[in-house]
Amino acid sequence: MAIFPSSEEEENINTEEKPGSNTPTEGNGDENVETNESLKLYFKTTPFFINGVVFIVLGGAIMAMGLGTGGILVGAGVLALVNGFRLKNRIVIGLSKKELIITPGLYSETYRAPYNNVKVTHMDNRLFKLHIQTPDVDKTCTLRKAWLEGDRDYVSTAMKNILSKLTEDNAA
């Protein structure tokens, strides 16, 4: 699979409005999701920032009491903050022309793969599994819907559009 370059990702972010930024008061989710060729869902980073701050404060308080285990919480908080900044504006799954853009895990690069090389193997209310098969790669990745930024209706509609595009091209 080809790596989706971060410079291209930044260029897309700077020239397009983030799809998950629409609020429910602006209309229903169906109006906000376009069925065009460039639909992208981003990582939800707010929980990383909240957990990072809570862990650092709690760890600092525990260390102030003289317990060394507070350092572990501070370390976990710093790691959460680093992940929050690293994943901010990173695409989890999206469509770009005739390719699927996907980040298979929290610590993975972002890749591009042709639609016909990706199959949906499982989907439920919490997660979905994709099987990516190219001449070089045979990988199954599990993505959690909780990772996706945006309100629930928007994410559901966008995922329906993305996964239907995958199944349409694979059926042909």
Side-chain angles (χ1 to χ4, degrees):
M1 290 189 300
I3 293 178
F4 186 71
S6 60
S7 61
E8 187 177 338
E9 194 168 349
E10 289 172 8
E11 181 180 307
N12 286 338
I13 291 165
N14 291 334
T15 59
E16 298 175 6
E17 184 177 324
K18 216 174 188 184
S21 64
N22 295 329
T23 60
T25 58
E26 293 174 2
N28 67 22
D30 295 335
E31 294 172 1
N32 295 332
V33 178
E34 297 178 19
T35 57
N36 65 6
E37 295 289 321
S38 63
L39 177 63
K40 296 171 183 73
L41 293 171
Y42 295 87
F43 275 103
K44 183 188 301 183
T45 56
T46 305
F48 288 106
F49 294 122
I50 292 170
N51 288 339
V53 170
V54 168
F55 287 167
I56 289 172
V57 170
L58 188 61
I62 291 173
M63 284 175 43
M65 288 189 277
L67 299 173
T69 56
I72 294 172
L73 281 176
V74 170
V78 169
L79 180 64
L81 288 176
V82 167
N83 278 334
F85 284 112
R86 186 179 57 80
L87 295 174
K88 190 168 184 67
N89 297 328
R90 169 112 18 130
I91 298 169
V92 178
I93 189 167
L95 303 174
S96 175
K97 299 179 185 172
K98 289 289 184 184
E99 294 179 318
L100 177 73
I101 303 168
I102 187 166
T103 305
L106 292 176
Y107 299 101
S108 300
E109 292 285 335
T110 303
Y111 297 101
R112 295 181 316 196
Y115 294 153
N116 58 358
N117 292 349
V118 182
K119 294 179 182 155
V120 180
T121 59
H122 176 77
M123 184 173 167
D124 62 25
N125 292 335
R126 296 179 309 121
L127 55 91
F128 55 98
K129 293 183 182 183
L130 301 175
H131 183 236
I132 303 168
Q133 191 170 18
T134 66
D136 300 332
V137 176
D138 187 11
K139 180 176 175 92
T140 300
C141 62
T142 302
L143 300 174
R144 301 191 183 287
K145 291 182 181 178
W147 291 352
L148 303 174
E149 183 177 3
D151 63 21
R152 186 177 300 176
D153 293 335
Y154 174 80
V155 169
S156 295
T157 306
M159 283 306 302
K160 242 186 259 180
N161 287 341
I162 291 171
L163 297 178
S164 69
K165 188 73 169 171
L166 293 177
T167 55
E168 285 172 11
D169 285 358
N170 287 335

